[in-house]
Amino acid sequence: MIARRVWMAASTAVRGRRNASTVALQDLKTRWPAMSTTEQNTIAKELEEVQKQDWNVMSTEDKKAAYYIAFGEHGPRTPVVQPGDHTKVAGGVVAVLTTAATLFYILDANGQEKPMTTTREWEEATNELFKRDKINPITGIASEGYKGKGYVTHK
């Protein structure tokens, strides 16, 4: 019974001592980046002292703050990719591809005349040359009984 009273007195004293700085621990995640280094160090030192005592006596706010300081996403553990970065990258890729396609079609429409090697006459002459020189005699245009169009792509 006496041990229980001593424990209750100690826990009340610790809780009473921590109530003054519990205000500093509320909403720590949002305030931590804006705090000065001195304030951050002070809170961290206070929490170190509290953690040396019985953890059953620690308040939930103390435990959450200690966990955040040890493992939270701040300092070197800040995520490299922030929320919204994926949409920015996707938008940039779409913009670059759209610009490239537009530029291609503008240059293609206003470019020089087509080369003469893309005419039907040229392609038929290429077929005759390949037959004469026996190019690809096994399965191609120079093979016996070939019935394909050869290299003619225009109608």
Side-chain angles (χ1 to χ4, degrees):
M1 188 81 147
I2 294 175
R4 181 170 165 76
R5 285 186 188 157
V6 170
W7 179 79
M8 298 258 312
S11 66
T12 306
V14 170
R15 283 186 189 149
R17 186 168 55 100
R18 290 297 299 146
N19 283 343
S21 63
T22 302
V23 175
L25 297 179
Q26 290 177 348
D27 202 26
L28 187 67
K29 286 183 181 181
T30 56
R31 293 184 308 113
W32 187 264
M35 291 176 131
S36 69
T37 307
T38 309
E39 290 175 312
Q40 291 175 352
N41 289 338
T42 303
I43 291 174
K45 293 290 180 191
E46 284 180 18
L47 285 172
E48 278 182 32
E49 292 301 317
V50 171
Q51 291 177 56
K52 289 178 183 177
Q53 299 170 6
D54 186 13
W55 276 58
N56 294 324
V57 177
M58 285 179 64
S59 70
T60 306
E61 286 293 323
D62 289 342
K63 291 176 185 177
K64 287 180 181 178
Y67 182 84
Y68 178 75
I69 291 171
F71 303 107
E73 295 178 344
H74 58 85
R77 290 179 300 277
T78 302
V80 176
V81 179
Q82 299 297 326
D85 284 354
H86 297 307
T87 53
K88 290 179 187 176
V89 170
V93 168
V94 167
V96 167
L97 290 176
T98 303
T99 304
T102 304
L103 184 62
F104 173 78
Y105 286 115
I106 288 172
L107 292 176
D108 188 47
N110 297 327
Q112 299 175 349
E113 61 186 51
K114 304 291 184 212
M116 65 180 182
T117 58
T118 60
T119 62
R120 182 172 177 84
E121 294 80 24
W122 191 278
E123 291 170 345
E124 289 173 351
T126 302
N127 277 349
E128 295 303 318
L129 176 71
F130 285 176
K131 286 179 187 176
R132 186 189 72 209
D133 291 343
K134 301 210 185 299
I135 303 290
N136 197 356
I138 297 172
T139 60
I141 195 167
S143 65
E144 290 184 32
Y146 181 76
K147 295 185 181 180
K149 296 188 303 183
Y151 293 96
V152 177
T153 57
H154 290 84
K155 292 185 177 183

